[in-house]
Amino acid sequence: MSGILEGRIAIVTGAGRGIGREHALELARQGAKVIVNDLGATADGQGASDGPAHEVVALIREMGGEAEANGADVADFEQAEAMVRQAIDSFGGLDILVNNAGFLRDRMLVNTAEEEWDAVIRVHLKGHFAPLRHAGAYWRAEAKAGAQRAARVINTSSGAGLQGSIGQTTYSAAKAGIAGMTLVAAAEMGRYGVTVNAIAPVARTRMTEAAFADMMAPVDDGFDAMDPANNSPVVAWLASEEAGDVTGRVIEIEGGRICVEQGWTHGPSRDLGRRWESAEVGTALRELIAQGAVPEPVYGAG
């Protein structure tokens, strides 16, 4: 197989179903050798099965590509390290890390249990950190040894993390954390030839089927704007050597639309040159808020 990723070696986490599955297939179509990671859990993170990862591996091999399955819990530090080592040992290195694994435990804030918070933060936020930490250490060592790779990381944030989403306090916090991690990792790892970007995908998957129940069918022209595969060409390009000048970006993908997100920036300010008196703050802060941009509404807000 040949394409814009020919000869490159990739890991895709959460690649047994949904968006991750389409990423793994597209990277393989473009010539990458792929470690297909999936724990095989349910949509809310329960249980495990090696079936989904092996099914995707079989599809890649049927296309003439190279792939291996991996069943690591990506939020387990040692298992994440072993996953990175599998790519190096099996295919001779690692060029691409696509962090995608996750699940939902949606609740309104006051109904969220501590266990639900811990589980979602763990799989999304630590599940991005652990593979990135070990892949980053490998790429740093390669660079110091004079064998710098054109490495690429694509993380998975969400509109819920960028604009917020009613009923998804925990998920939104995790996805916002991933966006912040992306910015810092891009700044730290550029010296080793690594770019780090994130996507905010929109798709109909088993995690979102209830929310998108009214958008199940393709539109009249046959284009299904909610197809998970719509996100994967952007990931494939970001994973290519050509994309070496793009880093520290969060890109929203919705059907055929791509949007470069603009996060926190410094807005209107006022400096008194001394400590503020408590009674002074209200008037000044209201004036500054009036001068600034109006925030986008939280998803699901009235």
Side-chain angles (χ1 to χ4, degrees), residues 35-163:
I35 298 294
V36 178
N37 162 265
D38 203 282
L39 186 60
T42 60
D44 64 353
Q46 304 294 324
S49 169
D50 61 3
H54 283 285
E55 289 172 10
V56 175
V57 168
L59 289 172
I60 291 173
R61 290 175 177 172
E62 287 174 10
M63 295 189 300
E66 296 184 54
E68 287 190 3
N70 176 276
D73 173 355
V74 293
D76 182 291
F77 204 63
E78 292 182 355
Q79 290 185 41
E81 182 178 24
M83 179 177 64
V84 170
R85 178 52 54 187
Q86 181 182 349
I88 297 165
D89 292 344
S90 297
F91 296 134
L94 179 64
D95 303 296
I96 301 159
L97 172 62
V98 181
N99 281 316
N100 169 78
F103 59 73
L104 293 177
R105 300 274 182 91
D106 288 352
R107 294 282 188 278
M108 299 298 280
L109 173 61
V110 297
N111 292 327
T112 301
E114 181 181 12
E115 179 277 330
E116 292 169 327
W117 170 273
D118 289 345
V120 172
I121 294 297
R122 179 183 182 276
V123 73
H124 286 280
L125 200 50
K126 188 177 180 183
H128 272 60
F129 162 73
L132 178 52
R133 157 65 174 80
H134 294 300
Y138 166 71
W139 290 323
R140 180 182 63 181
E142 290 286 279
K144 289 186 174 182
Q148 181 169 299
R149 306 182 80 94
R152 307 284 181 261
V153 178
I154 300 92
N155 292 326
T156 305
S157 185
S158 169
L162 304 173
Q163 282 83 39

Side-chain angles (χ1 to χ4, degrees), residues 202-204 215 217-219 222-228 230-231 253-256:
V202 176
R204 182 183 53 253
M215 304 174 72
V219 293
F223 175 57
D224 183 355
M226 302 305 294
D227 187 339
N230 297 334
N231 299 280
I253 311 160
E254 184 175 2

Side-chain angles (χ1 to χ4, degrees), residues 32 39 175 236 264:
L39 186 60
K175 290 303 189 181
W264 293 106

